[in-house]
């Protein structure tokens, strides 16, 4: 049997080229996946501090709550920074977020950094952390609960429209926008507000180590600057993420120099990766900045139930 030595050599060279080509393609693909998903918990990653953004109106966000559980269980995540810029939202949404963060904080340290606004439900998110760092001009506080409804009875009288109803008891579906509320309806509604408000005040007193009288004095609904919040013990220090990292190193023995990686909830229904969705959201936000006020007002109209939200009323 004879063989062509040159042909054999060429085949070996071709196999080596194919091997290195495949290896290079696999390595490039792996690098791309790590770059894309490294901060979402989908792929394994190095030791890090996770940063989670809590922006806009707070609702009962199950995906965000699940993310807190993933952060608690991920061994690579040594601490968590909550980057908060929110005027609040639904009281139940803030309650659920608070509870999920406290479960996370039972396993690893959590520090909050406050941006432009961290008020009402946004402040509930802040006090779920172990330490609060605010900018001097951050608007925070607005400790309180709100229930609103439109009142159309005078308008209906003017245009000659009368709304009629049959209901099981006088307080069913009260307060009602189509007629003025009775004293009994107002009293029941005030009871709802008071119950939720007492819960909010209790959280503030417990988390910020305030006596009940001081918590109630500070919890009259006003907003504070970051400087005022620190002075009144509603926040711990002035600064940003740099101060948050120093606190983690100084008090929680988190090694200095650990990378800070962005984490975002997985939202399968959106058809985008969490990182892609975040990037798209930032791009859209930059393009519609002029509409931000109207957008916030529109979102407020969708909030059902008790709300804990702050925003200046339009004039």
């Amino acid at each position: 049997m004879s063989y062509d030595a040159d042909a054999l050599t060429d085949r070996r060279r071709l196999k080596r080229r194919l091997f290195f080509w495949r290896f290079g393609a696999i390595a490039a693909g792996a690098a791309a996946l790590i770059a894309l998903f490294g901060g979402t918990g989908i792929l394994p990653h190095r030791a890090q501090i996770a940063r989670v953004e809590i922006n806009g109106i707070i609702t009962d966000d199950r995906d965000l709550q699940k993310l807190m559980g993933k952060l608690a269980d991920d061994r690579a995540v040594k601490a968590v920074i909550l980057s908060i810029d929110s005027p609040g939202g639904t009281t139940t949404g803030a309650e659920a977020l608070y509870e999920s963060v406290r479960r996370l904080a039972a396993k690893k340290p959590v520090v909050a950094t406050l941006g432009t606004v961290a008020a009402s439900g946004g402040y509930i998110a802040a006090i779920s952390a172990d330490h609060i760092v605010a900018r001097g001009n951050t608007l925070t506080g607005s400790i309180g609960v709100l229930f609103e409804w439109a009142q159309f009875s005078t308008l209906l009288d003017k245009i000659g429209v009368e709304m009629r109803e049959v209901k099981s008891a006088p307080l069913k579906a009260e307060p009602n926008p189509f007629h003025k509320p009775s004293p009994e309806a107002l009293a029941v509604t005030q009871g709802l507000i008071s119950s939720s408000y007492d819960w909010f005040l209790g959280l503030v007193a417990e988390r910020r180590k305030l006596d009940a009288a001081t918590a109630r004095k500070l919890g009259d609904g006003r907003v504070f600057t970051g400087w005022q919040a620190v002075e009144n013990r509603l926040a711990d220090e002035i600064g940003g993420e740099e101060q948050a990292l120093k606190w983690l190193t100084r008090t929680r023995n988190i090694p200095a120099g650990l990378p800070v990686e962005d984490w975002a909830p997985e939202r399968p229904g959106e058809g985008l990766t969490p990182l892609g969705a975040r990037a798209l959201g930032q791009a859209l936000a930059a393009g519609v900045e002029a509409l931000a006020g109207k957008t916030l007002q529109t979102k407020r109209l969708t909030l059902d139930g008790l709300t804990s939200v702050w925003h200046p009323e339009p004039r």
Side-chain angles (χ1 to χ4, degrees), residues 30-238:
L33 286 173
I34 291 172
L36 184 60
F37 295 112
T40 65
I42 296 175
L43 295 177
H45 41 273
R46 57 181 177 170
Q48 62 182 263
I49 296 170
R51 181 196 296 118
V52 178
E53 294 188 353
I54 300 174
N55 296 331
I57 298 296
I58 294 174
T59 58
D60 193 353
D61 188 339
R62 295 184 181 181
D63 293 327
L64 181 58
Q65 295 157 29
K66 288 179 182 178
L67 176 63
M68 299 303 169
K70 290 182 179 181
L71 292 170
D73 295 335
D74 195 305
R75 295 182 179 180
V77 175
K78 305 305 179 184
V80 177
I81 296 174
L82 299 181
S83 178
I84 302 172
D85 195 346
S86 169
T90 67
T91 308
T92 52
E95 178 185 3
L97 176 59
Y98 174 88
E99 292 175 351
S100 66
V101 174
R102 290 314 302 156
R103 287 191 293 270
L104 165 62
K107 295 186 176 181
K108 52 195 65 176
V110 180
V111 57
T113 59
L114 310 187
T116 303
V117 180
S120 295
Y123 185 64
I124 292 176
I127 61 177
S128 69
D130 303 315
H131 190 75
I132 301 175
V133 181
R135 293 293 183 187
N137 285 296
T138 294
L139 293 180
T140 189
S142 187
I143 300 165
V145 182
L146 179 68
F147 184 89
E148 294 180 311
W149 70 94
Q151 194 67 62
F152 300 121
S153 56
T154 302
L155 173 63
L156 294 179
D157 289 341
K158 289 183 178 180
I159 62 177
V161 176
E162 181 181 356
M163 296 296 297
R164 299 197 175 187
E165 62 186 5
V166 177
K167 53 186 179 180
S168 59
L171 295 178
K172 176 63 179 176
E174 291 291 340
N176 190 311
F178 301 120
H179 59 247
K180 293 182 179 179
S182 66
E184 293 79 11
L186 288 176
V188 168
T189 305
Q190 184 61 57
L192 291 174
I193 297 298
S194 297
S195 177
S196 186
Y197 177 55
D198 288 344
W199 165 80
F200 195 165
L201 281 181
L203 288 185
V204 174
E206 175 188 353
R207 297 297 301 153
R208 302 307 304 168
K209 296 180 172 56
L210 303 172
D211 60 75
T214 301
R216 189 167 292 274
K217 179 181 177 180
L218 297 173
D220 61 358
R222 79 183 80 175
V223 291
F224 301 86
T225 65
W227 294 298
Q228 292 173 324
V230 170
E231 181 181 353
N232 287 286
R233 295 159 55 194
L234 294 176
D236 295 296
E237 61 177 314
I238 298 298

